[in-house]
Amino acid sequence: MKNEDYEKSEKIELARAAIQAGQNAIRSIILINGGAAIAIIALLGHLAGSDSGVMHDYAQCLLPFAAGTLLGGLMAGVTYLSQAAHAAGEGSKGTKINNISIIIGLMSYAAFGLGVWWTYQAFSGAL
């Protein structure tokens, strides 16, 4: 009986750790994309006060960071749906929804990478 209690306790702790890791990933996604978007907005605000012809190049760089932030928020919502399905005893459905959440998270990281690349290209004058 004690072995069963131990296994149950272990499963609960592993589930908590997985949830916490997912929450940290969501925060990370929103933080890096949102921070980059704010930095680009600040740059655009500075460029708006000057006669710079590169403002359009930098304005384009905002799009992937903003999309990545939006995807991070969407990931948080989809993760909630996944947890709700698991709590309702629909483990298979919850797992499928969780997989969708992971894909959205990967898309958000990809958006950040694209934004970094576009920003690099804009700064190097190749965009």
Side-chain angles (χ1 to χ4, degrees):
M1 187 72 162
K2 290 186 179 187
N3 193 27
E4 291 174 6
D5 290 342
Y6 174 78
E7 288 177 9
K8 184 177 179 181
S9 176
E10 183 181 34
K11 286 182 181 180
I12 290 170
E13 288 305 314
L14 288 172
R16 285 183 184 157
I19 290 168
Q20 186 176 13
Q23 289 172 339
N24 289 338
I26 293 168
R27 285 186 195 107
S28 171
I29 285 169
I30 293 172
L31 180 66
I32 64 172
N33 278 300
I38 290 169
I40 295 294
I41 290 169
L43 175 64
L44 291 173
H46 175 72
L47 292 175
S50 65
D51 280 338
S52 178
V54 296
M55 188 168 173
H56 178 266
D57 294 341
Y58 293 115
Q60 273 185 262
C61 300
L62 178 62
L63 182 61
F65 295 128
T69 305
L70 178 64
L71 287 168
L74 181 62
M75 183 183 180
V78 173
T79 300
Y80 168 78
L81 294 176
S82 170
Q83 291 303 313
H86 280 291
E90 299 176 0
S92 176
K93 182 179 180 181
T95 300
K96 289 176 185 175
I97 295 171
N98 188 57
N99 290 337
I100 292 169
S101 177
I102 291 169
I103 291 168
I104 293 169
L106 292 173
M107 291 169 54
S108 183
Y109 281 122
F112 179 77
L114 181 64
V116 168
W117 178 250
W118 284 5
T119 304
Y120 167 77
Q121 293 294 311
F123 274 106
S124 67
L127 187 65

